[in-house]
Amino acid sequence: MSQLAIFLDGGLLLLALMSLLWLLSLALRDSSIVDIFWGIGYIVLAGFYFLSTPDGAFARKLLITGLVGVWGLRLSIHILLRNWGKGEDFRYRAWREAAGESWWWESYFRVFLLQGVLLWLVSVPLLAAQVAPEPTTLTALDLAGILIWGIGFTFEAVGDWQLTRFRANPANQRRLLTEGLWRYTRHPNYFGDAVQWWGFFLIAAAAGGWLTVFSPLLMTALLLRVSGVSMLERTLRETKPGYEAYMQRTPAFFPWFPRRR
């Protein structure tokens, strides 16, 4: 089976899963369950690509599927625990109120189908890394990919853990987290997420998948300009006292030492 055919079949699988998830969201009246599926969706596709590429280099197939599994499972569990018992996320709730009675079908295209397409496109390095039979052993690019992925995973996992612990203290309800990784970047979790995709790309490049560079570029753009930093900061500037001052001294995305005011 060709790489394109496998990719298209993966898209059909994802379409079916997103459609089922949409039906579940209608029953729960909660479109934000799509966020929980984001990490799981990549695990499903990576596993599908693994089974569909019997001629691929086994060491690299095992490597990238394992890294995606660790990243995606941690992310989905984190979002599940964070949202448990809190109802629909405010972003989706605002869209639901604006759309009114048409939200039941509009949510399929605006939320589930759109995120499914993005997930599918971004997943290309996970296929490119597994389809090529050569090189059979891991190379310097693979090792560089593991290193970059490890840096990203640390930023994302530690950043999420620090924020969860901070929010668990009722005394911090109206306060800002400005310590730990949050002292060097306002969004260590988003930065870490993007960096991990550059790691996945390097592993794909080790198998000849250089053209998949659009995947980490797209993921970085999404986190910076669409669903991540830009969207969240519009809310934080209005709801968190002192956030403007925090913005002036702390980089938004790429970590660096705080600026002197």
Side-chain angles (χ1 to χ4, degrees):
M1 187 181 295
S2 69
Q3 184 172 346
L4 178 59
I6 297 171
F7 184 59
L8 293 176
D9 285 346
L12 292 176
L13 172 62
L14 196 58
L15 176 62
L17 292 175
M18 280 296 184
S19 299
L20 290 174
L21 194 64
W22 169 67
L23 293 175
L24 179 60
S25 77
L26 297 181
L28 298 176
R29 291 189 58 81
D30 186 353
S31 296
S32 59
I33 62 173
V34 72
D35 294 340
I36 301 171
F37 182 77
W38 183 253
I40 295 174
Y42 287 106
I43 296 175
V44 171
L45 284 182
F48 176 76
Y49 297 152
F50 186 94
L51 297 175
S52 303
T53 53
D55 297 327
F58 184 75
R60 188 167 296 103
K61 283 161 59 73
L62 195 62
L63 170 64
I64 199 160
T65 303
L67 294 182
V68 171
V70 171
W71 165 74
L73 188 60
R74 190 216 67 87
L75 180 61
S76 289
I77 291 175
H78 169 72
I79 296 175
L80 174 64
L81 295 177
R82 184 191 67 187
N83 296 352
W84 189 265
K86 296 181 180 179
E88 190 171 47
D89 184 272
F90 73 94
R91 296 166 298 172
Y92 300 100
R93 189 164 60 248
W95 290 347
R96 179 186 296 276
E97 293 172 356
E101 294 182 358
S102 65
W103 181 246
W104 74 270
W105 62 264
E106 187 176 324
S107 63
Y108 180 70
F109 297 96
R110 189 173 181 180
V111 176
F112 293 88
L113 191 59
L114 175 60
Q115 291 205 29
V117 170
L118 291 173
L119 197 161
W120 180 51
L121 292 175
V122 171
S123 76
V124 170
L126 311 184
L127 173 58
Q130 301 192 63
V131 72
E134 299 287 344
T136 57
T137 58
L138 299 183
T139 67
L141 268 181
D142 291 300
L143 299 180
I146 295 171
L147 176 62
I148 295 299
W149 178 88
I151 294 172
F153 184 80
T154 300
F155 266 88
E156 184 179 39
V158 173
D160 281 340
W161 173 75
Q162 290 175 341
L163 183 59
T164 299
R165 186 180 62 172
F166 181 81
R167 286 175 171 174
N169 186 349
N172 295 328
Q173 185 174 5
R174 296 285 293 174
R175 296 178 58 203
L176 284 172
L177 173 57
T178 59
E179 301 297 328
L181 293 178
W182 300 82
R183 182 172 184 264
Y184 304 100
T185 166
R186 301 198 299 270
H187 302 279
N189 45 359
Y190 290 152
F191 169 77
D193 199 330
V195 168
Q196 286 174 92
W197 279 95
W198 285 100
F200 294 146
F201 161 69
L202 288 179
I203 296 172
W210 291 97
L211 294 179
T212 66
V213 67
F214 74 86
S215 168
L217 287 172
L218 177 58
M219 179 63 85
T220 304
L222 289 172
L223 291 168
L224 265 173
R225 302 300 181 188
V226 183
S227 62
V229 174
S230 297
M231 178 181 290
L232 183 58
E233 293 213 324
R234 284 196 295 268
T235 301
L236 292 174
R237 294 175 71 173
E238 298 174 358
T239 59
K240 288 292 184 180
Y243 199 79
E244 288 284 354
Y246 179 54
M247 292 177 66
Q248 292 176 18
R249 67 177 183 269
T250 309
F253 194 71
F254 298 99
W256 194 245
F257 295 99
R259 293 185 288 268
R260 292 177 180 268
R261 293 189 60 191

